[in-house]
Amino acid sequence: QDPAAFRAAAAELMTRILEVEDQQVAEIDISGGDTPGGKPDGATADVTTTTAVNGAPPETRTVRKSFVLQGTDWLDCTDPAA
């Protein structure tokens, strides 16, 4: 078995059957940067996503996600199991 090939095939399948219809971000809380001239280094936000899978009726789900600032990019560091 090839784990990398499995992950690639699973990702390809999801792009074919999963349609993201809407995504909204709310209740953003930025952390860090508490010192003069300091920069923020993390954040949390409520992310609401509406998706449809393989033509089924859309479902909406809200998840509190965690982000970390690396350079100029905010990266999602939420546990995938959440």
Side-chain angles (χ1 to χ4, degrees):
Q1 295 189 0
D2 184 350
F6 174 79
R7 283 191 299 276
E12 172 67 21
L13 176 64
M14 289 306 293
T15 60
R16 290 184 184 193
I17 66 171
L18 179 67
E19 180 180 335
V20 176
E21 296 185 353
D22 186 43
Q23 195 165 45
Q24 298 178 2
V25 179
E27 299 298 325
I28 301 168
D29 296 313
I30 297 175
S31 59
D34 298 330
T35 60
K39 295 182 179 179
D41 58 5
T44 56
D46 292 336
V47 179
T48 301
T49 306
T50 301
T51 57
V53 178
N54 206 22
E59 293 184 14
T60 300
R61 180 176 172 209
T62 300
V63 176
R64 186 78 176 162
K65 291 193 171 227
S66 299
F67 300 88
V68 64
L69 182 61
Q70 288 190 351
T72 59
D73 298 321
W74 286 99
L75 305 178
D76 183 349
C77 60
T78 306
D79 182 350

